[in-house]
């Protein structure tokens, strides 16, 4: 039996990272609800096409979803104000960072933040590690 139900995936720009995360998530975990939030409509549309259960766009959906999510997944920049070429507002970053949800952040280096000690993994390897991490929160121990 799964413990969590509400997974929020946040991405911006073209949504390619979010799209791949949605595909990975939906193929591996059938019964969870994935809300994909794009910082723009292009990103949201890409995630909808990849199988998200629902989509939203912009700042307020990030703020509201951060209150109710069990898990939030996205690039490291979603907790960094002005990241993703300015698409992450300070309120978005604060809402995600303060959320009680477990956050799974992929160390994509487009936000002027370096994670010391991280390995240079391929995107595919990062997805696999992300799915392993979330599976720890889906299965009752």
């Amino acid at each position: 039996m799964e413990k969590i139900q509400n997974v929020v995936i946040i991405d911006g720009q073209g949504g390619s990272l979010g799209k791949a995360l949605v595909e990975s998530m939906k193929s591996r975990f059938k019964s969870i609800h994935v809300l994909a939030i794009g910082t723009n409509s292009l990103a949201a549309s890409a995630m909808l096409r990849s199988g998200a259960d629902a989509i939203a766009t912009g700042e307020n959906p990030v703020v509201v979803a951060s209150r109710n999510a069990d898990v939030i997944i996205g690039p490291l920049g979603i907790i960094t104000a002005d990241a993703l070429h300015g698409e992450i507002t300070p309120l978005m970053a604060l809402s995600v960072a303060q959320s009680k949800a477990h956050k799974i952040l992929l160390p994509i280096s487009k936000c002027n933040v370096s994670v010391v000690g991280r390995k240079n993994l391929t995107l595919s390897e990062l997805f696999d590690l992300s799915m392993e991490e979330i599976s720890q929160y889906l299965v009752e121990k």
Side-chain angles (χ1 to χ4, degrees):
M1 173 126 312
E2 296 179 350
K3 290 196 310 190
I4 69 164
Q5 295 301 315
N6 295 319
V7 174
V8 173
I9 296 176
I10 302 171
D11 195 20
Q13 300 179 300
S16 60
L17 175 66
K19 177 183 175 193
L21 284 169
V22 169
E23 288 170 352
S24 231
M25 182 78 54
K26 294 303 279 183
S27 70
R28 183 156 177 186
F29 308 109
K30 304 294 183 204
S31 64
I32 61 169
H33 182 268
V34 175
L35 169 60
I37 303 176
T39 59
N40 60 63
S41 59
L42 184 62
S45 295
M47 292 186 281
L48 180 63
R49 287 191 306 273
S50 66
D53 296 298
I55 62 167
T57 304
E59 181 180 75
N60 201 56
V62 170
V63 172
V64 173
S66 294
R67 290 183 208 138
N68 303 316
D70 295 312
V71 174
I72 298 172
I73 305 174
L76 178 64
I78 63 174
I79 60 167
T80 306
D82 300 330
L84 296 158
H85 301 289
E87 292 183 10
I88 301 296
T89 68
L91 183 57
M92 292 164 100
L94 182 65
S95 297
V96 173
Q98 289 183 334
S99 173
K100 292 182 189 241
H102 183 78
K103 291 162 266 310
I104 299 174
L105 305 173
L106 283 76
I108 308 299
S109 300
K110 292 187 179 178
C111 57
N112 291 329
V113 175
S114 296
V115 178
V116 176
R118 82 170 181 96
K119 298 177 186 175
N120 284 327
L121 301 175
T122 66
L123 211 44
S124 177
E125 291 169 323
L126 288 173
F127 292 149
D128 291 343
L129 289 172
S130 296
M131 295 307 112
E132 285 176 32
E133 179 71 18
I134 196 169
S135 69
Q136 294 178 30
Y137 296 91
L138 289 172
V139 180
E140 284 190 359
K141 302 203 182 216

